[in-house]
Amino acid sequence: MTPEPYEVYAVRYAHNPAATAAHNFVGGDPHDVPMPLDYFVWAIKGNGRTFIVDTGFDQAMAEKRKRQFLRSPGEGLKTIGIDPDGIEDVIISHMHYDHCGNYDLFPNARYHLQDAEMAYSTGRCMCHGALKLPLEEEDVVAMVRKVFAGRVKFHDGASEIAPGISVHHVGGHSKGLQVVRVWTRRGWLVVASDASHFYANMNEGRAFPVLHSLAETLEGYDRLWELASDRSNVIPGHDPIILDRYPAPSSGLEGVVVRLDADPKEPAG
């Protein structure tokens, strides 16, 4: 039985204004123009439940990583009526610092994670500086504690989280990276997270330079499009364009939250 369509929201909580095109593609870019990143968490609402995708980072981590902190992800979620204390399911796309921090924000939630990502973030790959650079020790330790507390549900490949919501292992950027497929009024929508940072990464076949496997990253773009009803239904993880492309859910939330299941205002760049 097909569930009622879900609503999907992107909540912006931080910004990196210093990034340029040279930072965002393997091999750089001959036109080294400003190409900033935005940082989001995502919310899926419908059928009597709310699911959160990724948990972001906090003010202290923003200072450490030299990012512009705009608001707590929890405060951003409250603007659309979501109480973090009431969340029962959090999907972690991968264990990089900007996707799995704020680990005390959802005290009653069960966390969904790929087997491969936990093995990656606690195994031999973390002996290499270049691979462990996007992770934070305390974030990983906090997730291990959740495992021992019985608060982590592991997945191996593709799994249904609820009717109309599933996770799919893609890898590439991180060994166990998973994306989220959601049934919406526009058909199947894919929250790609860092399987593609920008529309340009997947549309031009040029990977973001932080990665575990270049081959898996490039192959992952085709997988994203296969999972979505339309190529335009794939939502990249850090592209500020989505703030212009999709409408805010209500007046006053422009630049803070956009509704991704709504009809886009303009085509993707």
Side-chain angles (χ1 to χ4, degrees), residues 170-203:
V170 173
H173 174 67
S174 185
K175 189 171 184 178
L177 178 112
Q178 61 184 354
V179 302
V180 185
R181 186 184 196 223
V182 186
W183 179 249
T184 73
R185 59 181 292 274
R186 293 197 293 125
W188 290 109
L189 181 146
V190 175
V191 178
S193 184
D194 288 4
S196 187
H197 282 59
F198 295 88
Y199 284 106
N201 292 126
M202 55 183 169
N203 289 345

Side-chain angles (χ1 to χ4, degrees), residues 12 89 124 186 234:
R12 178 178 180 243
D89 291 275
R124 65 191 302 148
R186 293 197 293 125
V234 177

Side-chain angles (χ1 to χ4, degrees), residues 60-201:
M61 188 57 61
E63 293 173 2
K64 178 179 179 179
R65 295 277 181 162
K66 296 180 171 57
R67 301 295 186 258
Q68 181 183 357
F69 193 69
L70 303 175
R71 63 191 57 84
S72 162
E75 291 304 311
L77 290 168
K78 288 177 182 177
T79 67
I80 51 174
I82 296 175
D83 178 5
D85 289 353
I87 295 300
E88 297 180 353
D89 291 275
V90 172
I91 301 167
I92 297 294
S93 64
H94 62 302
M95 290 289 290
H96 287 182
Y97 79 96
D98 51 329
H99 294 266
C100 71
N102 293 304
Y103 34 81
D104 294 326
L105 182 59
F106 302 99
N108 300 304
R110 175 175 61 171
Y111 285 65
H112 297 268
L113 188 69
Q114 287 283 325
D115 286 317
E117 187 67 1
M118 180 56 85
Y120 176 64
S121 59
T122 57
R124 65 191 302 148
C125 286
M126 295 302 100
C127 297
H128 302 289
L131 293 178
K132 72 179 180 182
L133 183 64
L135 291 91
E136 287 286 338
E137 177 183 342
E138 293 307 314
D139 292 345
V140 176
V141 170
M143 190 62 72
V144 172
R145 291 195 177 105
K146 286 182 173 61
V147 173
F148 278 82
R151 295 181 57 201
V152 177
K153 170 69 174 176
F154 284 106
H155 303 278
D156 182 14
S159 294
E160 184 180 74
I161 304 299
I165 302 175
S166 54
V167 294
H168 301 263
H169 175 242
V170 173
H173 174 67
S174 185
K175 189 171 184 178
L177 178 112
Q178 61 184 354
V179 302
V180 185
R181 186 184 196 223
V182 186
W183 179 249
T184 73
R185 59 181 292 274
R186 293 197 293 125
W188 290 109
L189 181 146
V190 175
V191 178
S193 184
D194 288 4
S196 187
H197 282 59
F198 295 88
Y199 284 106
N201 292 126

Side-chain angles (χ1 to χ4, degrees), residues 2 4 9-10 24 28 30 35 41 45-46 48 54 57 72 88 100 118 129 180 186 229 235 248 253 258 261:
T2 303
E4 289 296 313
Y9 300 87
N24 296 330
M35 194 175 181
V41 298
K45 298 175 68 174
D54 291 343
F57 55 77
S72 162
E88 297 180 353
C100 71
M118 180 56 85
V180 185
R186 293 197 293 125
S229 293
I235 308 299
L253 291 181
V258 290
D261 61 299

